[in-house]
């Protein structure tokens, strides 16, 4: 399965989950927003990070100290 | 000169010298609002009664020689997500249409203590996200003022207030300030308390403020943040980094041309302009920002959303819904990207006074259905670095353009110094020409 197909499958899975929760009509009104978020999740999943890359926990103040 | 057109520095000097009463200043502002508000729609709620009482008190104190500071008697507008004791605070949402807080937000408390006069609450997009407020751009009423702090930017631009407060989670201060041709400041994350301000996404939310000059912005920032940025009188020509690869590639032609012209003027007066490379992690920052904001907004609204989903407008509804579906591991992945980008960006800024970019991808877009694009601002909301926009000129359609300056965290004094220098070179763009009926 190609990368592009895998990405489309993930986006479709995301939309299906939303449809189960809120129904087809409600999802149709916000579909574009849901798709963009699903695309962002997919893209972030492809960013190469190592175990040393910890999550941010306190932006700003901790860095400034 | 009518008092409503005075800057904070000018009005403060006159009040201190006994040549202007805070009451006369307020009445001039209220007349200006009465004349322009039907066209601009910058205000949700006005509080002339409370404002007059505060202005009279400040006038009495001034008469006795007691001046609280540079904001003594200065009218201020507050974005309608700031709690104001006894004054309706709607978050731009019908769900909060009759919400009246018991107490003030910490920023409001500090402003009142400093003698500022709260005129009213300014329009915001719904919950400070993307569903537009009714506000129009004073430079062209057919164009958006930007968002989410739409009313605050428009009020300062149209001389309905010399000072207004907003917020920024993506680009909600810098973008509307630039579209409306005023100075907008987003200080370092957590430099100013967010207590009593309705959140959109906790780890991205910043207090923002709007004025007509950098000097005014520094004075106001010092009052609410306890900084001393207004003491920086004149900085030498700065060394600025310009990351062309994203900011110039994405910008519309008018913005590119305006930015190049601004760069030439700054260089001509001695600024050293260095082309800088953005770190590799930059390509993921907009996705990381989107995921963090969606998840945190979903957490803020989760309980209410389950009961009142239909009460949310389309953009915020979709955003909260999408945030509820993001896996925890993806949220953490976004926070890991955020941390890496912040570290790499700090290293890239070594030896520079500031990073300089266009403030927005385009001049204020036509129509009121969108508040524009925050792509040039959200990276700095993600890192928490302080930013400021300074007007840099006008487009062919006479819409404002701006330059955005960014400094490392807690370097507000440096940022203000460079901004004042840039402002002095780029010069004022003036205020929008708005016809006012006689007597207003």
């Amino acid at each position: 399965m190609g990368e592009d197909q895998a990405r489309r499958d993930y986006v479709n899975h995301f939309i299906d989950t939303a449809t189960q929760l809120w129904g087809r009509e409600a999802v149709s009104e916000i579909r574009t927003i849901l798709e963009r978020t699903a695309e962002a999740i997919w893209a972030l999943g492809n960013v190469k990070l190592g175990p040393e890359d910890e999550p941010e926990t306190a932006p700003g103040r901790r860095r400034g100290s | 000169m009518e008092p409503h057109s005075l800057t904070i520095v000018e009005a403060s000097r006159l009040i201190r010298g006994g040549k202007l009463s805070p009451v006369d200043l307020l009445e001039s502002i209220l007349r200006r609002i009465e004349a322009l508000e039907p066209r601009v729609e910058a205000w949700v709620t006005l509080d002339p009664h409370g404002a007059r009482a505060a202005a009279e008190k400040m006038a009495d104190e001034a008469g006795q020689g007691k001046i609280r500071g540079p904001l003594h008697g200065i009218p201020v507008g507050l974005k309608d997500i700031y709690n104001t004791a006894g004054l309706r605070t709607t978050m731009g949402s019908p769900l909060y249409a009759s919400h009246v807080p018991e107490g003030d937000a910490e920023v409001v408390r500090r402003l009142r203590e400093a003698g500022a006069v709260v005129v009213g609450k300014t329009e915001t997009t719904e919950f400070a996200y993307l569903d537009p407020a009714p506000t129009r751009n004073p430079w062209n009423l057919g164009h958006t003022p930007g968002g989410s702090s739409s009313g605050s930017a428009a009020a300062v631009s149209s001389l309905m207030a010399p000072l207004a407060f907003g917020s920024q989670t993506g680009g909600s201060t810098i973008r509307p300030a630039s579209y409306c041709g005023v100075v907008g400041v987003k200080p370092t994350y957590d430099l100013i308390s967010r207590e009593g301000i309705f959140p959109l996404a906790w780890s991205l939310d910043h207090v923002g403020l709007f004025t007509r000059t950098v000097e005014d912005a520094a004075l106001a920032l010092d009052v609410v943040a306890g900084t001393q940025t207004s003491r920086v009188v004149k900085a030498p020509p700065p060394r600025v980094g310009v990351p062309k690869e994203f900011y110039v590639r994405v910008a519309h032609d008018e913005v590119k041309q305006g930015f190049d012209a601004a760069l030439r003027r700054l260089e001509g007066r001695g600024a050293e302009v260095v082309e800088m490379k953005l770190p590799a992690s930059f390509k993921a920052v907009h996705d990381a920002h989107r995921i963090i904001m969606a998840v945190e907004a979903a957490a803020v609204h989760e309980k209410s959303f389950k009961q009142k989903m239909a009460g949310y407008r389309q953009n915020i509804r979709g955003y909260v819904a999408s945030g509820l579906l993001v896996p925890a591991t993806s949220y953490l992945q976004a926070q890991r990207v955020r941390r890496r980008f912040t570290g790499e960006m700090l290293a890239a800024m070594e030896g520079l006074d500031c990073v300089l970019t266009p403030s927005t991808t385009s001049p204020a877009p036509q129509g009121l259905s969108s508040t524009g694009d925050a792509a040039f601002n959200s990276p700095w909301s993600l890192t928490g670095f302080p930013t400021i926009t300074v007007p840099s000129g006008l487009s062919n359609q006479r819409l404002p353009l701006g330059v955005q300056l960014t400094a490392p965290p807690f370097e507000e004094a440096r940022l203000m110094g460079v901004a004042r220098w840039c402002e002095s070179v780029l010069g004022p763009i003036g205020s929008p020409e708005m016809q006012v009926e006689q007597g207003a």
Side-chain angles (χ1 to χ4, degrees), chain B residues 232-250:
Chain B
V232 180
V233 177
K234 193 176 180 189
R239 186 169 196 263
V240 295
V242 177
K244 287 197 169 173
E245 73 221 65
F246 174 73
Y247 281 89
V248 173
R249 178 171 51 79
V250 172

Side-chain angles (χ1 to χ4, degrees), chain B residues 3-38:
Chain B
H4 68 250
S5 60
L6 296 169
T7 65
I8 295 173
V9 168
E10 292 165 344
S12 184
R13 191 177 298 134
L14 291 173
I15 290 171
R16 192 181 293 270
K19 292 177 178 159
L20 175 66
S21 163
V23 172
D24 292 338
L25 175 57
L26 174 67
E27 292 301 332
S28 177
I29 288 285
L30 291 175
R31 286 194 299 275
R32 179 79 175 173
I33 292 172
E34 188 179 359
L36 297 184
E37 176 60 5

Side-chain angles (χ1 to χ4, degrees), chain A residues 15-62:
Chain A
I15 298 293
D16 289 346
T17 306
T19 305
Q20 285 167 24
L21 278 170
W22 298 299
R24 195 172 300 277
E25 190 180 335
V27 166
S28 71
E29 292 175 6
I30 57 174
R31 186 181 181 100
T32 308
I33 301 164
L34 293 166
E35 285 175 346
R36 285 181 61 192
T37 300
E39 298 269 9
I41 293 169
W42 183 261
L44 281 176
N46 288 325
V47 176
K48 299 283 185 289
L49 296 170
E52 72 283 3
D53 286 299
E54 295 183 18
E56 188 54 85
T57 51
R61 186 159 299 285
R62 189 167 54 79

Side-chain angles (χ1 to χ4, degrees), chain B residues 288-324:
Chain B
H289 180 271
R290 182 177 186 88
I291 294 304
I292 293 166
M293 192 156 108
V295 171
E296 295 185 12
V300 169
H301 291 279
E302 184 172 16
K303 194 172 173 186
S304 164
F305 194 74
K306 282 177 180 163
Q307 298 160 349
K308 304 169 187 167
M309 182 177 179
Y312 289 77
R313 286 171 70 188
Q314 188 176 8
N315 284 304
I316 184 73
R317 188 177 351 126
Y319 212 56
V320 170
S322 72
L324 289 169

